[in-house]
Structure formats: C-alpha cells, structure tokens
Amino acid sequence: NVSVYFRDLQNGPVMSINGSENFTPASLLKLPLLVAFYKKAEDNPKLLQEKITVPASVQTLPQNVAPEAVALSGRTYTIDELLNILIKESDNTSGHLLLEYLEKRYPQEGFVFILSDLGIIDPRRDIDEQYITAQSYSSIFRILYNSSYLSPEMSDKALQLLSHSVFEDGLVAGLPGNMQVAHKFGERKLGDEQQLHDCGIVYYQPNPYMLCVMTRGTSTADLSAIIKDISSEIYTEVEKRN
C-alpha cells in the first residue's frame, strides 16, 4: 500500500494518490514534538538550555532503522541537544525523555492537543491509537514553510534541523546528491507488516515542493525502493516543468 501527497510550494499544483489512507505515525510524531518545544521556547527562550539527565534504564520501542547516535545513559543534555538527536537520528530515547518532560512541565496542555493544533490527529483518541495520512502530515511542513504556527526564526530553525536528518534511504535517495531536503521519516514493524514513511520539503530551485510518501508492506528494502522511485519520478517531472 502506498500513499503519496505532493504540493508545489510556489502556488502550483497539488497531487494526491490514496492521500487519505491511514498509517501508523511512529517516528513521524517526533516532528510535532520538536514544534511543541520550539513553540514553548518562543515564550521562554531559556527552555532549550534546560538540562535533562538520561536515567540508567529507559524503556523505548526497538528501532528497525537503528540511529547512528543516541542519548546515552548517565549523560546530561540540554533540551536543545536532545531535540537535535531526536530529529537528526530519530532517537527513541530522546523522544521518550522529551515527551515525559513536556507532559510533566505542561500537564494541562497534553501533547495530543498540540498535535490537534497542528491538524494531524483526532484528540479524542489515545496517542497510541492515532493514525495519520500523508495529506494531513504534510500540513506540518507547510506550516513551517509559511511560518504560520511558529515564528519565522523558529520555523527556520526547525527546517534547518530537519535538513540534517541522517536518513537517506527514502526521498533523498531519489534526488541529486547536492539537493537540500528538510524531511522526517518514520518506520514501524507490526507482526509481519512493515511501514516506512518519508515526508518533507525538497528545496529545488526555483520551485521548492513538498512530498510525503507513506508505505505499508512486508519488506523495508522494498518500501525504501518505492519511496526512492516516487521521489525520483516527482523530481524529474518538476525539473521538466521548470
């Protein structure tokens, strides 16, 4: 199963194929977590320099696409450092600590409702029962691109961080090597079923565009190849139009 959502960011065409099909968000939820912290930091600039110590043991879900670097037990990090590891490496340990901090520090503003503010989930459901679509998730990148939720400074900071993601087996693999891409991937294995998603902004000049591909199947390698091929086809078409 494949879902594709494309939007030209120069007020051009929009394309959706199975764009409303539901998928498990998995690590894609790390992006709205980043947005939540940056939103809080607009009111409290010192927030990002507050420190969190990684406990000796943290229970997190296993990662089939293992991060190259993780938050280490016993080490103390600033929130800004944990957010960098969270997005660049998609580290579950950082995600667990940051979500726990957010829920303790702002208990009346649950993460589910922050997600609801961004328009990607139903706040009536528990976070573990949430599903997202390629079309709804893409709205976060449009919000960042237009600085319509965060300030221009924080929006740019988020997009710069997203452009340093180490994951290169999806959208990036289908693009020229020098192309800047601000993106986030997510993956989840449920029994024999594997899901792999990659969504972001491709800074093709003079015509940047947004692309989100969500997939479901049995082989991570096959799903990765599908995302790569779709990314390549989209890039070829955009380049031809320009």
Side-chain angles (χ1 to χ4, degrees):
N1 296 86
V2 183
S3 177
V4 181
Y5 184 78
F6 165 89
R7 179 181 284 271
D8 184 306
L9 291 172
Q10 300 288 3
N11 296 315
V14 176
M15 180 193 72
S16 178
I17 302 172
N18 300 327
S20 59
E21 183 166 347
N22 287 327
F23 291 87
T24 302
S27 287
L28 292 182
L29 290 182
K30 290 169 181 170
L31 172 53
L33 183 57
L34 172 76
V35 172
F37 271 95
Y38 281 4
K39 187 68 173 176
K40 299 299 182 186
E42 289 179 354
D43 296 326
N44 177 17
K46 295 181 180 179
L47 172 65
L48 299 181
Q49 297 309 312
E50 291 188 20
K51 296 181 178 181
I52 299 175
T53 299
V54 183
S57 98
V58 179
Q59 297 295 322
T60 63
L61 291 172
Q63 296 185 251
N64 298 306
V65 180
E68 296 179 8
V70 299
L72 300 174
S73 297
R75 285 274 303 272
T76 298
Y77 299 86
T78 65
I79 287 176
D80 198 41
E81 288 171 334
L82 286 176
L83 288 169
N84 272 263
I85 301 171
L86 176 80
I87 298 301
K88 291 180 182 179
E89 306 287 345
S90 199
D91 171 41
N92 280 354
T93 299
S94 300
H96 174 83
L97 296 172
L98 289 164
L99 183 57
E100 186 178 66
Y101 177 95
L102 190 69
E103 291 175 339
K104 287 181 179 178
R105 181 72 177 268
Y106 305 98
Q108 296 182 352
E109 303 171 40
F111 184 52
V112 167
F113 286 92
I114 291 171
L115 293 171
S116 179
D117 278 350
L118 297 174
I120 65 169
I121 67 165
D122 180 350
R124 295 168 296 181
R125 291 178 175 268
D126 185 80
I127 195 167
D128 294 328
E129 300 173 345
Q130 293 292 346
Y131 298 96
I132 60 173
T133 69
Q135 183 169 343
S136 66
Y137 190 76
S138 294
S139 66
I140 303 178
F141 286 94
R142 193 176 180 206
I143 285 169
L144 292 174
Y145 187 79
N146 293 326
S147 301
S148 55
Y149 187 73
L150 297 177
S151 65
E153 178 186 359
M154 285 300 188
S155 294
D156 184 63
K157 182 177 174 68
L159 290 169
Q160 285 293 328
L161 183 53
L162 288 159
S163 70
H164 289 93
S165 168
V166 300
F167 183 72
E168 297 184 342
D169 293 332
L171 298 181
V172 173
L175 299 169
N178 60 345
M179 186 62 59
Q180 182 181 2
V181 187
H183 67 117
K184 183 71 191 76
F185 84 99
E187 56 88 14
R188 176 64 57 83
K189 185 173 177 61
L190 302 167
D192 293 332
E193 178 187 280
Q194 179 74 44
Q195 294 191 28
L196 181 66
H197 323 309
D198 202 4
C199 304
I201 295 173
V202 178
Y203 287 92
Y204 172 78
Q205 295 301 328
N207 195 173
Y209 61 89
M210 187 168 62
L211 178 60
C212 185
V213 184
M214 297 186 176
T215 65
R216 180 190 296 112
T218 57
S219 164
T220 302
D222 288 346
L223 300 182
S224 176
I226 288 168
I227 297 173
K228 171 188 174 182
D229 289 347
I230 291 172
S231 178
S232 178
E233 291 286 344
I234 293 287
Y235 175 81
T236 299
E237 177 64 21
V238 171
E239 187 176 45
K240 186 165 58 177
R241 287 195 294 111
N242 283 276

